[in-house]
Amino acid sequence: MSRVSVVTGGTSGIGRGIAEKILTHSGPEDLVFVSYGHNRERAEAFWEALSEENKKKVILLRADMSSYEEMICFAREITERAGHVDWLVNNVGIGIYKKYEDYTFEEWTKVVNTNLSIPVFLVKELRPVMEKGGSILFTGSYAGQQAYSSSLVYGVTKAAIHFLTKSLVKEFEPKGITVNAIAPGFIQTAWHENRSPESYERINKKIALHRFGEVSEVSDMAYAILTNGYMNGSVVDIHGGYDYF
Ligand SMILES: NC(=O)c1ccc[n+]([C@@H]2O[C@H](COP(=O)([O-])OP(=O)(O)OC[C@H]3O[C@@H](n4cnc5c(N)ncnc54)[C@H](OP(=O)(O)O)[C@@H]3O)[C@@H](O)[C@H]2O)c1
């Protein structure tokens, strides 16, 4: 049977790296559902960069992953078009860089919905069509391991994702599906596009390798986890040696 993968937020950064890695190792009948949210330009650039062969395997769907209704439509479309899912990569994430005392309830709720609640319910929605031997992967963050983040709500949601990863292992035991997460440190993506040279310098001083990670370094690891049959309930840090000194 063909392999069906789902990558949310798969047209940029880490998600795009994972989607492309899956495609590199895909067979002719495999399908990869890739979602994007607001950035049509980046989605088009992702699509244009695909080979003709891979364009036949990718189903690009727009879905606002802060919205329960849009997530449900996304999940239904996958179920109707593919009938089953093998790999589910929950990668969408947002942050908010404001002081805690300045948060509004709406801002807090949007981050919690996007980073935590929608992934919880997307997994729940796709659970019935997930196959034995399948794999669920969350993009967590090292900001959910250490409270270093300048975004409190972001760190809280990522810590919750790590706990969710471990909690779901039991839920998916009867189906023989593994659940893992990656916890990246600072990875060079559009996420950091507004960072100043001074900020890069300050952070690089705290990383033992003195540089941000490359998307390919994270997507290689994500792929290794997806294809590893015995990893289950793991949250894998990848941060170049952050905060060791
Ligand atoms: N880069 C890092 O240093 C780093 C470190 C640790 C963890 N992470 C995590 O890695 C994941 C990917 O981030 P990235 O660094 O690759 O940055 P990115 O390129 O900005 O990726 C974020 C993705 O989330 C999607 N997204 C955001 N809000 C959405 C919404 N409401 N509905 C649908 N899609 C939405 C974006 O799609 P649109 O642009 O189309 O809306 C985009 O594809 C996130 O979960 C992030 O927390 C990143």
Side-chain angles (χ1 to χ4, degrees), residues 9-15 35-39 42 63-66 91-94 114 139-142 154 158 184-192:
T11 60
S12 68
I14 292 171
S35 85
Y36 71 100
H38 314 92
N39 199 323
R42 278 198 305 207
D64 180 351
M65 293 294 184
S66 65
N91 169 73
V92 163
I94 56 169
T114 308
T139 306
S141 171
Y142 196 61
Y154 178 76
K158 292 298 186 178
F186 291 88
I187 309 302
Q188 196 53 60
T189 69
W191 195 278
H192 302 286

Side-chain angles (χ1 to χ4, degrees), residues 149-180:
S149 177
S150 52
S151 177
L152 181 145
V153 62
Y154 178 76
V156 169
T157 57
K158 292 298 186 178
I161 282 292
H162 301 164
F163 197 81
L164 176 72
T165 298
K166 292 171 187 291
S167 307
L168 286 178
V169 166
K170 214 168 172 186
E171 298 295 327
F172 279 86
E173 177 265 332
K175 299 199 84 171
I177 289 167
T178 60
V179 190
N180 296 290

Side-chain angles (χ1 to χ4, degrees), residues 3 12 16 77 81 87 111 114 123 157 179 192 195 222 240:
R3 172 177 289 138
S12 68
R16 177 172 172 169
E77 184 141 6
R81 289 172 78 160
W87 290 349
V111 181
T114 308
V123 170
T157 57
V179 190
H192 302 286
R195 200 173 279 290

